[in-house]
Amino acid sequence: MYAQMVKTDTTSVKTREEMSAEERAFQDRVDADIKIEAKDWMPENYRKTLIRQISQHAHSEIVGQLPEANWLTRAPTLERKAILLAKIQDEAGHGLYLYCAAETLGVSRDELTEQLLTGKAKYSSIFNYPTLTWADVGTIGWLVDGAAIMNQVPLQRCSFGPYSRAMIRVCKEESFHQRQGYDALMKMCLKGTAAQKAMCQDAFNRWWWPSLMMFGPPDKESVHSAQSMAWKIKLNSNDELRQKFVDQTVPQAEYLGLEIPDPNLSWNEERGHYDFGEIDWSELFSVVRGDGPCNRERLAARRKAWDDGAWFREGLMAHAEKKSARKDTQKNAA
Ligand code: FAQ
């Protein structure tokens, strides 16, 4: 099934004997936790894997603004509106840091944008679900930003310097995002009306399983994990992070008085973790392939934003050309 999900070839992890002297020296640096910088020598597949992951991550931040933006004009209070606006602006900022980190690897921003707009590049499956009620906004902050933090805190220690440094700032902001989401739900679940609590339960039911899918396919089917972990582009496997997320989130749901929409969820004393039910992987496959509830709408919104912004980009370019021509004239006159 996952063979259909991936378009890049995967390389099996080389043994030390199979590596060239350069590759061995590179691996030694990674193993010793010495950061790799953009100008350092790196295996071509390391570079490609980073461009793929960082750009998918950047696209996710940019497309990820859309579901919440749907509620910006309908936030229940001025305070909630200001908080939501700040959060959405942060996501745009994250996208920009990440595009810059990807650009250090020799790919242009225009190429990355084109890959997104033509549907060639992926972005996180989670942003292809609709936000039907105000409770969805709180639930995204709690679950989606919570899952993003779980995945991104270890990435602060990843081997590629520009990516790891971008993650430090991103994670600080994601913590605020998670808190504001949980805070909105606390108000509605603990101090709100029965109707508000029911709205939160409904949102939770719809976002729980897609949030677990955010971590990617199960380890045994994850095509990139082995090599990415050997190169410390990923520090933990998909299943490890998913389990940590479940263990962290279940008590938070219990505090809110929300029921986990999984009849098989139970604490496993022996493992020291929650067991949970089988994830419907065909749903992730379908969303990643482009057939999720909002895939077409999301891409159409990004294409429209790109087209509508053409006059502004052209204006900036014309200004930059004028400035440089003026500089040349002054230089020649001196
Ligand atoms: N959706 O071999 P693996 C956020 C693809 S940011 C779509 O396991 P890998 C902040 C995968 O790309 C959320 N595609 O792949 C926010 C690959 O396909 P490819 C984004 C998925 O890379 C909050 C194939 O399946 N975070 O939420 C998904 O080793 C609120 C095989 O999978 C990041 O990008 C998926 N869920 O592991 C913003 C973090 N899962 O590329 C706004 C960095 C897998 O060969 C509002 N990324 N695929 O065509 C990562 O840690 C990794 O890339 C994984 C996937 C863990 C996502």
Short mmCIF file of all heavy atoms in Angstrom, two decimals, residues 59-60 62-64 66-67 99 112-124 127-128 287-307:
data_model
loop_
_atom_site.label_atom_id
_atom_site.label_comp_id
_atom_site.label_asym_id
_atom_site.label_seq_id
_atom_site.Cartn_x
_atom_site.Cartn_y
_atom_site.Cartn_z
N HIS A 59 5.59 23.51 3.60
CA HIS A 59 4.28 23.53 2.95
C HIS A 59 3.16 23.27 3.97
O HIS A 59 2.09 23.87 3.90
CB HIS A 59 4.17 22.46 1.85
CG HIS A 59 5.17 22.62 0.73
ND1 HIS A 59 5.58 23.83 0.26
CD2 HIS A 59 5.81 21.69 -0.04
CE1 HIS A 59 6.45 23.66 -0.73
NE2 HIS A 59 6.61 22.37 -0.93
N SER A 60 3.43 22.38 4.92
CA SER A 60 2.41 22.05 5.93
C SER A 60 2.09 23.29 6.76
O SER A 60 0.93 23.54 7.10
CB SER A 60 2.90 20.95 6.88
OG SER A 60 3.25 19.81 6.16
N ILE A 62 2.34 26.37 5.84
CA ILE A 62 1.62 27.36 5.02
C ILE A 62 0.17 26.91 4.77
O ILE A 62 -0.78 27.66 5.02
CB ILE A 62 2.38 27.59 3.68
CG1 ILE A 62 3.78 28.18 3.96
CG2 ILE A 62 1.58 28.47 2.73
CD1 ILE A 62 3.79 29.54 4.64
N VAL A 63 0.00 25.67 4.32
CA VAL A 63 -1.37 25.18 4.08
C VAL A 63 -2.12 25.08 5.42
O VAL A 63 -3.33 25.31 5.48
CB VAL A 63 -1.36 23.80 3.36
CG1 VAL A 63 -2.77 23.27 3.16
CG2 VAL A 63 -0.65 23.92 2.01
N GLY A 64 -1.37 24.80 6.48
CA GLY A 64 -1.97 24.63 7.81
C GLY A 64 -2.63 25.89 8.35
O GLY A 64 -3.39 25.84 9.32
N LEU A 66 -4.84 27.49 6.70
CA LEU A 66 -6.17 27.62 6.10
C LEU A 66 -7.32 27.11 6.97
O LEU A 66 -8.34 27.80 7.10
CB LEU A 66 -6.19 26.93 4.72
CG LEU A 66 -5.26 27.55 3.67
CD1 LEU A 66 -5.15 26.66 2.44
CD2 LEU A 66 -5.78 28.93 3.28
N PRO A 67 -7.19 25.89 7.57
CA PRO A 67 -8.35 25.42 8.35
C PRO A 67 -8.73 26.37 9.47
O PRO A 67 -9.92 26.62 9.71
CB PRO A 67 -7.87 24.07 8.91
CG PRO A 67 -6.72 23.66 8.04
CD PRO A 67 -6.12 24.90 7.48
N TYR A 99 11.40 27.39 4.62
CA TYR A 99 11.79 27.56 3.21
C TYR A 99 13.24 28.05 3.15
O TYR A 99 14.02 27.61 2.30
CB TYR A 99 10.87 28.57 2.50
CG TYR A 99 9.52 28.00 2.11
CD1 TYR A 99 8.33 28.67 2.43
CD2 TYR A 99 9.42 26.81 1.39
CE1 TYR A 99 7.09 28.16 2.07
CE2 TYR A 99 8.18 26.30 1.02
CZ TYR A 99 7.02 26.97 1.37
OH TYR A 99 5.79 26.46 1.01
N LEU A 112 10.22 25.28 -5.00
CA LEU A 112 9.45 24.63 -3.93
C LEU A 112 7.97 25.00 -4.04
O LEU A 112 7.09 24.15 -3.88
CB LEU A 112 10.00 25.04 -2.56
CG LEU A 112 11.46 24.62 -2.28
CD1 LEU A 112 11.92 25.16 -0.93
CD2 LEU A 112 11.59 23.10 -2.30
N THR A 113 7.72 26.27 -4.33
CA THR A 113 6.32 26.73 -4.45
C THR A 113 5.66 25.99 -5.61
O THR A 113 4.51 25.54 -5.50
CB THR A 113 6.27 28.25 -4.68
OG1 THR A 113 6.99 28.88 -3.62
CG2 THR A 113 4.86 28.77 -4.72
N GLU A 114 6.39 25.88 -6.70
CA GLU A 114 5.80 25.20 -7.86
C GLU A 114 5.45 23.75 -7.53
O GLU A 114 4.39 23.24 -7.91
CB GLU A 114 6.76 25.26 -9.04
CG GLU A 114 6.08 24.88 -10.34
CD GLU A 114 7.06 24.62 -11.46
OE1 GLU A 114 7.97 25.44 -11.64
OE2 GLU A 114 6.88 23.58 -12.14
N GLN A 115 6.35 23.10 -6.78
CA GLN A 115 6.09 21.70 -6.40
C GLN A 115 4.81 21.58 -5.57
O GLN A 115 4.05 20.64 -5.71
CB GLN A 115 7.27 21.13 -5.61
CG GLN A 115 8.47 20.82 -6.49
CD GLN A 115 9.72 20.50 -5.69
OE1 GLN A 115 9.67 20.33 -4.47
NE2 GLN A 115 10.85 20.42 -6.37
N LEU A 116 4.59 22.58 -4.71
CA LEU A 116 3.35 22.55 -3.90
C LEU A 116 2.13 22.79 -4.79
O LEU A 116 1.15 22.04 -4.75
CB LEU A 116 3.41 23.62 -2.80
CG LEU A 116 2.10 23.82 -2.02
CD1 LEU A 116 1.77 22.58 -1.19
CD2 LEU A 116 2.17 25.04 -1.12
N LEU A 117 2.22 23.83 -5.63
CA LEU A 117 1.03 24.24 -6.39
C LEU A 117 0.65 23.24 -7.49
O LEU A 117 -0.50 23.17 -7.90
CB LEU A 117 1.22 25.64 -6.98
CG LEU A 117 1.45 26.76 -5.97
CD1 LEU A 117 1.52 28.11 -6.65
CD2 LEU A 117 0.36 26.79 -4.89
N THR A 118 1.63 22.46 -7.96
CA THR A 118 1.32 21.47 -8.99
C THR A 118 0.94 20.12 -8.34
O THR A 118 0.69 19.15 -9.05
CB THR A 118 2.51 21.24 -9.94
OG1 THR A 118 3.66 20.90 -9.14
CG2 THR A 118 2.81 22.47 -10.77
N GLY A 119 0.96 20.09 -7.02
CA GLY A 119 0.58 18.86 -6.33
C GLY A 119 1.70 17.83 -6.30
O GLY A 119 1.50 16.68 -5.91
N LYS A 120 2.92 18.24 -6.71
CA LYS A 120 4.05 17.30 -6.72
C LYS A 120 4.58 17.07 -5.31
O LYS A 120 5.04 15.98 -4.98
CB LYS A 120 5.17 17.91 -7.59
CG LYS A 120 5.72 16.96 -8.63
CD LYS A 120 6.71 17.65 -9.53
CE LYS A 120 8.11 17.12 -9.27
NZ LYS A 120 9.14 17.99 -9.88
N ALA A 121 4.51 18.12 -4.50
CA ALA A 121 5.06 18.00 -3.14
C ALA A 121 3.93 17.71 -2.16
O ALA A 121 2.80 18.17 -2.33
CB ALA A 121 5.75 19.30 -2.75
N LYS A 122 4.27 16.95 -1.13
CA LYS A 122 3.26 16.64 -0.12
C LYS A 122 3.25 17.71 0.96
O LYS A 122 4.19 18.48 1.10
CB LYS A 122 3.62 15.30 0.53
CG LYS A 122 3.49 14.11 -0.38
CD LYS A 122 3.54 12.82 0.44
CE LYS A 122 3.14 11.62 -0.37
NZ LYS A 122 4.19 11.17 -1.29
N TYR A 123 2.16 17.73 1.70
CA TYR A 123 2.10 18.47 2.96
C TYR A 123 1.28 17.59 3.89
O TYR A 123 0.64 16.62 3.45
CB TYR A 123 1.48 19.87 2.76
CG TYR A 123 0.09 19.86 2.17
CD1 TYR A 123 -1.03 19.73 2.99
CD2 TYR A 123 -0.10 19.95 0.80
CE1 TYR A 123 -2.31 19.70 2.45
CE2 TYR A 123 -1.38 19.91 0.25
CZ TYR A 123 -2.48 19.78 1.08
OH TYR A 123 -3.74 19.74 0.55
N SER A 124 1.29 17.93 5.18
CA SER A 124 0.69 17.00 6.14
C SER A 124 -0.78 16.73 5.85
O SER A 124 -1.58 17.65 5.63
CB SER A 124 0.85 17.54 7.56
OG SER A 124 0.32 16.59 8.46
N PHE A 127 -4.12 18.64 7.31
CA PHE A 127 -4.71 19.92 6.90
C PHE A 127 -5.73 19.77 5.78
O PHE A 127 -6.20 20.76 5.22
CB PHE A 127 -3.59 20.91 6.56
CG PHE A 127 -2.68 21.12 7.74
CD1 PHE A 127 -1.35 20.76 7.70
CD2 PHE A 127 -3.20 21.62 8.93
CE1 PHE A 127 -0.54 20.90 8.81
CE2 PHE A 127 -2.40 21.77 10.05
CZ PHE A 127 -1.06 21.42 9.99
N ASN A 128 -6.07 18.53 5.48
CA ASN A 128 -7.11 18.29 4.47
C ASN A 128 -8.45 17.93 5.10
O ASN A 128 -9.33 17.38 4.43
CB ASN A 128 -6.65 17.16 3.54
CG ASN A 128 -5.48 17.62 2.70
OD1 ASN A 128 -5.57 18.64 2.02
ND2 ASN A 128 -4.38 16.90 2.75
N VAL A 287 -6.00 10.30 1.70
CA VAL A 287 -5.80 11.74 1.89
C VAL A 287 -4.48 12.17 1.24
O VAL A 287 -4.42 13.19 0.55
CB VAL A 287 -5.83 12.11 3.40
CG1 VAL A 287 -5.50 13.58 3.60
CG2 VAL A 287 -7.18 11.80 4.01
N VAL A 288 -3.43 11.36 1.43
CA VAL A 288 -2.12 11.72 0.87
C VAL A 288 -2.17 11.69 -0.67
O VAL A 288 -1.53 12.48 -1.34
CB VAL A 288 -1.02 10.77 1.42
CG1 VAL A 288 0.29 10.97 0.69
CG2 VAL A 288 -0.83 11.02 2.92
N ARG A 289 -3.00 10.79 -1.20
CA ARG A 289 -3.12 10.68 -2.66
C ARG A 289 -3.88 11.89 -3.24
O ARG A 289 -3.88 12.12 -4.43
CB ARG A 289 -3.88 9.38 -2.97
CG ARG A 289 -3.70 8.87 -4.39
CD ARG A 289 -4.52 7.61 -4.60
NE ARG A 289 -5.88 7.80 -4.11
CZ ARG A 289 -6.67 6.82 -3.69
NH1 ARG A 289 -6.25 5.58 -3.68
NH2 ARG A 289 -7.90 7.08 -3.27
N GLY A 290 -4.55 12.65 -2.38
CA GLY A 290 -5.25 13.84 -2.87
C GLY A 290 -6.76 13.74 -2.75
O GLY A 290 -7.47 14.64 -3.19
N ASP A 291 -7.25 12.65 -2.13
CA ASP A 291 -8.69 12.44 -2.07
C ASP A 291 -9.28 12.67 -0.68
O ASP A 291 -10.32 12.09 -0.35
CB ASP A 291 -9.04 11.02 -2.55
CG ASP A 291 -8.75 10.87 -4.04
OD1 ASP A 291 -8.86 11.89 -4.75
OD2 ASP A 291 -8.39 9.76 -4.48
N GLY A 292 -8.63 13.50 0.13
CA GLY A 292 -9.19 13.82 1.45
C GLY A 292 -10.34 14.79 1.29
O GLY A 292 -10.58 15.31 0.18
N PRO A 293 -11.05 15.08 2.39
CA PRO A 293 -12.23 15.95 2.28
C PRO A 293 -11.93 17.34 1.71
O PRO A 293 -12.79 17.93 1.07
CB PRO A 293 -12.74 16.05 3.72
CG PRO A 293 -11.96 15.10 4.55
CD PRO A 293 -10.83 14.57 3.74
N CYS A 294 -10.73 17.89 1.95
CA CYS A 294 -10.49 19.28 1.52
C CYS A 294 -9.25 19.46 0.64
O CYS A 294 -8.82 20.61 0.45
CB CYS A 294 -10.34 20.19 2.74
SG CYS A 294 -11.77 20.23 3.81
N ASN A 295 -8.67 18.38 0.11
CA ASN A 295 -7.41 18.55 -0.65
C ASN A 295 -7.55 19.58 -1.77
O ASN A 295 -6.71 20.47 -1.94
CB ASN A 295 -6.96 17.24 -1.28
CG ASN A 295 -6.53 16.21 -0.25
OD1 ASN A 295 -7.33 15.83 0.59
ND2 ASN A 295 -5.30 15.77 -0.31
N ARG A 296 -8.62 19.44 -2.55
CA ARG A 296 -8.76 20.31 -3.73
C ARG A 296 -8.94 21.76 -3.31
O ARG A 296 -8.35 22.67 -3.89
CB ARG A 296 -9.91 19.82 -4.60
CG ARG A 296 -9.53 18.56 -5.38
CD ARG A 296 -10.70 17.83 -6.00
NE ARG A 296 -10.27 16.50 -6.45
CZ ARG A 296 -10.14 15.43 -5.68
NH1 ARG A 296 -10.44 15.51 -4.39
NH2 ARG A 296 -9.71 14.27 -6.16
N GLU A 297 -9.75 21.94 -2.27
CA GLU A 297 -10.02 23.29 -1.75
C GLU A 297 -8.73 23.95 -1.24
O GLU A 297 -8.47 25.13 -1.49
CB GLU A 297 -11.01 23.11 -0.61
CG GLU A 297 -11.60 24.34 -0.03
CD GLU A 297 -12.51 23.97 1.17
OE1 GLU A 297 -13.17 22.90 1.16
OE2 GLU A 297 -12.52 24.76 2.13
N ARG A 298 -7.91 23.17 -0.54
CA ARG A 298 -6.66 23.73 0.02
C ARG A 298 -5.73 24.18 -1.10
O ARG A 298 -5.15 25.26 -1.06
CB ARG A 298 -5.94 22.70 0.90
CG ARG A 298 -6.73 22.21 2.09
CD ARG A 298 -6.90 23.27 3.16
NE ARG A 298 -7.61 22.73 4.31
CZ ARG A 298 -8.80 23.16 4.73
NH1 ARG A 298 -9.42 24.16 4.12
NH2 ARG A 298 -9.36 22.61 5.79
N LEU A 299 -5.54 23.32 -2.09
CA LEU A 299 -4.61 23.67 -3.18
C LEU A 299 -5.17 24.84 -3.99
O LEU A 299 -4.41 25.73 -4.40
CB LEU A 299 -4.33 22.47 -4.07
CG LEU A 299 -3.17 21.58 -3.60
CD1 LEU A 299 -2.84 20.53 -4.66
CD2 LEU A 299 -1.90 22.39 -3.29
N ALA A 300 -6.47 24.85 -4.18
CA ALA A 300 -7.07 25.96 -4.93
C ALA A 300 -6.83 27.28 -4.18
O ALA A 300 -6.52 28.31 -4.80
CB ALA A 300 -8.57 25.72 -5.12
N ALA A 301 -6.93 27.25 -2.85
CA ALA A 301 -6.71 28.48 -2.06
C ALA A 301 -5.27 28.94 -2.18
O ALA A 301 -4.99 30.14 -2.29
CB ALA A 301 -7.06 28.23 -0.59
N ARG A 302 -4.32 27.98 -2.17
CA ARG A 302 -2.90 28.36 -2.29
C ARG A 302 -2.61 28.92 -3.69
O ARG A 302 -1.87 29.87 -3.85
CB ARG A 302 -1.97 27.18 -2.00
CG ARG A 302 -1.85 26.76 -0.54
CD ARG A 302 -1.64 27.91 0.42
NE ARG A 302 -0.56 28.81 0.04
CZ ARG A 302 -0.45 30.08 0.44
NH1 ARG A 302 -1.36 30.62 1.20
NH2 ARG A 302 0.57 30.82 0.05
N ARG A 303 -3.21 28.29 -4.72
CA ARG A 303 -2.98 28.79 -6.10
C ARG A 303 -3.54 30.19 -6.25
O ARG A 303 -2.92 31.05 -6.85
CB ARG A 303 -3.66 27.85 -7.12
CG ARG A 303 -2.91 26.55 -7.27
CD ARG A 303 -3.37 25.79 -8.52
NE ARG A 303 -2.92 24.42 -8.41
CZ ARG A 303 -3.70 23.38 -8.14
NH1 ARG A 303 -5.00 23.53 -8.01
NH2 ARG A 303 -3.19 22.18 -8.03
N LYS A 304 -4.70 30.42 -5.67
CA LYS A 304 -5.32 31.75 -5.78
C LYS A 304 -4.44 32.80 -5.07
O LYS A 304 -4.21 33.88 -5.61
CB LYS A 304 -6.74 31.72 -5.17
CG LYS A 304 -7.45 33.05 -5.26
CD LYS A 304 -8.90 32.94 -4.82
CE LYS A 304 -9.68 34.23 -4.93
NZ LYS A 304 -9.04 35.47 -4.59
N ALA A 305 -3.94 32.42 -3.89
CA ALA A 305 -3.09 33.36 -3.14
C ALA A 305 -1.84 33.69 -3.96
O ALA A 305 -1.40 34.85 -4.02
CB ALA A 305 -2.69 32.76 -1.79
N TRP A 306 -1.29 32.68 -4.63
CA TRP A 306 -0.07 32.89 -5.45
C TRP A 306 -0.39 33.80 -6.63
O TRP A 306 0.32 34.76 -6.90
CB TRP A 306 0.45 31.53 -5.92
CG TRP A 306 1.69 31.61 -6.74
CD1 TRP A 306 1.80 31.39 -8.08
CD2 TRP A 306 3.02 31.94 -6.28
NE1 TRP A 306 3.10 31.55 -8.48
CE2 TRP A 306 3.87 31.90 -7.41
CE3 TRP A 306 3.56 32.28 -5.04
CZ2 TRP A 306 5.24 32.17 -7.32
CZ3 TRP A 306 4.93 32.54 -4.95
CH2 TRP A 306 5.74 32.50 -6.09
N ASP A 307 -1.50 33.53 -7.30
CA ASP A 307 -1.87 34.35 -8.47
C ASP A 307 -2.21 35.78 -8.04
O ASP A 307 -1.78 36.74 -8.67
CB ASP A 307 -3.07 33.74 -9.21
CG ASP A 307 -2.70 32.41 -9.85
OD1 ASP A 307 -1.48 32.16 -10.00
OD2 ASP A 307 -3.61 31.62 -10.20
#
